Amino acid sequence: MSETGQPVEILLAEDNPGDAKLTQKAFEEGNILNNLHIVENGVEAMDFLKQRGDYEDKARPDLVLLDLNMPKKDGWDVLEEINEDPELRRIPVIVLTSSEAESDIVKSYELQANAYLSKPVDYSGFMDVVRSLEEFWLSVVKMPPK
Amino acid sequence: MNSARTDDENRVVPDDPDLLLQLTEYTDDSLWMFSPDWKEVIFANSRYEDIFGEPLSTLEDDPRSFLEAVHPDDRDSVVAAMEELSGGEPADLEFRVDPADNYETWVWVQAQPVYDDSGEIAALAGYTRDITRRKEYQRELEHHREALEKSNESLREFAYIASHDLQEPLRMVSSYVDLLEREYGDQFDDEAEEYMEFAVNGAKRMKRMINSLLEYSRVHTQAEEFDEVDAAEVFESARQDLELLIADHSAEITVGDLPTVSADRDQLGQVFQNLLKNSIEHAGEDGTPQIDVTVTDRPEAYEFAVADNGPGIPADEQDDVFDIFRQGANAEAGNTGIGLAITRRIVQRHGGDIWIESEPGEGARFKFTIPKGLNVAESEGVDHE
């Protein structure tokens, strides 16, 4: 994707505006051209993914960063719904959360999350995550066609 | 004058048998002897009534009437023990008696068969002791233990919640103070620059302390059940993990034969690693660290020792060494000094003790015990925080 010069479409589902902004800034400082879309809860996340409601004209994301604890609909439900949709299922989902509970980690992987990351402790941690994401997911890995 | 003689079984026996009888009154226990079929009382001192709450006469009418003085729930096991005793099996049991007192008296009975010269059982003899007070103490002890367990449980919960829930606000403060400096740093005058530095340093220390607390609470949140663990193997693993540190200080480490213990493997590894690291760093301050690790086989536990040739630790500082924020606010980057607090918590969790033997100028010996034969998932030591 980045090879063709098109920006990578990334959906961030995060209810904490402080965390959302940190992620946004980290992507702005990153090396890969990207459009970061931010939604605040699971309902908006699904609307965005299904390109309906307020998000009819939005592009389908190439990558989803998902917080588990969101109001209205949490990350678990979003994961399940993504999994049930044959088209959405192809989109890599990375769970980004503060929970360390092993049960949460297992559950995420059982629900077909592609990766589970603990939220970084500070801004440089966010930059590290973005850097890793860029290196692994966005450059090296072959993404499924849209 | 009363005279006595030594009989052929090397006992000293008074000539006057009444003296012997008197002796049987100088005890709070009920001493008794029954015929092998329990139908006749051969001997009973006068304590029977004190303990069972019924006069001795009832026993003479019907020796087995004492069963009525026994708590209904305990009668079956008493009858079983009586039958076994008739068959030659010694008895040792505890049960409740005294209907007048609502069966609140606990007694302990030990009894044996008495054989005659031809090897037949001639009598059944024993004593019955009132152990009500001992039972009460046990109950109190159990209550205290439960209360302590609850208190420890809530302390652990607190440590976990405090450290875990504090991560998010900490992240906000750390990250945005950092961003402020990055993006607006060049707009700050000297005063603002100084304010920022205080804020940044405060946030850094807060982060270290909260992470330390989190690590500390993990002793319980990530605890594993005890298993048979080869301490030698675990030690080698810990030594390998510290390769770089050992090389940096040219530390010499010797270790004796370490046994197999009942422990949480990861946590035992942490103990070795923390103690080694601590010793290397302190002994390394002014010389080449020499660390010797040994174990002493004590009856109830293995006593490990990690000895170093460092400056030693004065007696009045030895307890503080294990405090959670020993190095407090002035900790250098990455070092809040929590390693030893975690070590102590782990040792306590295993039911052991940890202490220091040291004089200034004579190095330090860190000693800890791991009890033998642990088969419970958690052994609690008292937490003096």
Side-chain angles (χ1 to χ4, degrees), chain A residues 16 18-19 25 100 122, chain B residues 168 171-172 176 183 207 218:
Chain A
N16 182 329
D19 283 334
K25 289 202 110 22
E100 298 198 319
D122 58 15
Chain B
E168 192 267 337
R171 182 166 64 246
M172 294 298 114
Y176 283 100
E183 296 182 18
K207 175 163 60 169
R218 281 183 190 139

Side-chain angles (χ1 to χ4, degrees), chain B residues 341-356:
Chain B
I342 289 178
T343 301
R344 177 173 67 177
R345 192 81 275 269
I346 290 176
V347 168
Q348 284 172 346
R349 191 205 148 209
H350 284 70
D353 283 316
I354 183 166
W355 70 98
I356 302 174

Side-chain angles (χ1 to χ4, degrees), chain A residues 16-19 21-22 25 29 98-100 119-124 126-127, chain B residues 160 164 167-168 170-172 174-176 178-179 182-183 207 211 214 218 222:
Chain A
N16 182 329
D19 283 334
K21 190 178 269 287
L22 288 172
K25 289 202 110 22
E29 289 196 32
S98 33
S99 170
E100 298 198 319
K119 278 192 188 170
V121 290
D122 58 15
Y123 182 62
S124 56
F126 275 90
M127 298 214 311
Chain B
Y160 175 74
H164 186 262
Q167 294 287 327
E168 192 267 337
L170 171 64
R171 182 166 64 246
M172 294 298 114
S174 277
S175 307
Y176 283 100
D178 194 17
L179 275 178
R182 276 173 200 257
E183 296 182 18
K207 175 163 60 169
N211 284 335
L214 197 57
R218 281 183 190 139
Q222 292 183 358

Side-chain angles (χ1 to χ4, degrees), chain B residues 30 47-54 66 69-70 95 97-99 128:
Chain B
S30 159
R47 290 290 166 267
Y48 178 84
E49 182 164 352
D50 295 338
I51 294 180
F52 284 82
E54 310 222 316
F66 88 92
V70 175
F95 54 93
V97 302
D98 198 350
T128 303

Side-chain angles (χ1 to χ4, degrees), chain B residues 10 22 25 49 80 83 88 102 123 125 133 171 192 199 208 293 327 346 353 384:
Chain B
N10 230 18
Q22 279 182 43
E25 289 301 307
E49 182 164 352
E83 285 167 9
N102 210 23
R133 210 177 319 172
R171 182 166 64 246
R208 279 198 296 269
V293 180
Q327 288 173 268
I346 290 176
D353 283 316
H384 290 299

Side-chain angles (χ1 to χ4, degrees), chain B residues 269-330:
Chain B
Q270 282 180 57
V271 167
F272 282 136
Q273 199 162 32
N274 285 338
L275 290 177
L276 269 181
K277 184 164 187 280
N278 182 74
S279 292
I280 294 172
E281 281 171 355
H282 282 101
E285 266 164 32
D286 30 47
T288 307
Q290 280 165 349
I291 320 281
D292 187 34
V293 180
T294 51
V295 66
T296 309
D297 193 337
R298 301 257 181 240
E300 304 275 319
Y302 288 108
E303 188 183 283
F304 293 84
V306 176
D308 66 55
N309 60 340
I313 304 170
D316 57 358
E317 286 176 30
Q318 287 175 8
D319 272 338
D320 299 341
V321 151
F322 296 106
D323 284 346
I324 289 193
F325 290 131
R326 166 165 78 98
Q327 288 173 268
N330 299 318

Side-chain angles (χ1 to χ4, degrees), chain A residues 81-105:
Chain A
E81 288 186 37
I82 287 178
N83 220 21
E84 284 163 8
D85 183 323
E87 301 230 333
L88 293 181
R89 202 185 291 158
R90 303 182 194 173
I91 306 178
V93 176
I94 297 185
V95 167
L96 199 62
T97 187
S98 33
S99 170
E100 298 198 319
E102 201 173 298
S103 51
D104 281 355
I105 301 178

Side-chain angles (χ1 to χ4, degrees), chain B residues 214-260:
Chain B
L214 197 57
E215 233 184 284
Y216 187 83
S217 71
R218 281 183 190 139
V219 174
H220 291 286
T221 59
Q222 292 183 358
E224 302 274 340
E225 281 192 22
F226 296 156
D227 201 3
E228 292 299 293
V229 169
D230 181 355
E233 215 183 284
V234 173
F235 179 82
E236 277 317 305
S237 208
R239 196 214 304 236
Q240 270 177 40
D241 286 344
L242 290 174
E243 239 170 14
L244 240 45
L245 186 72
I246 294 174
D248 280 348
H249 287 95
S250 305
E252 289 160 24
I253 302 184
T254 50
V255 56
D257 281 327
L258 301 184
T260 298

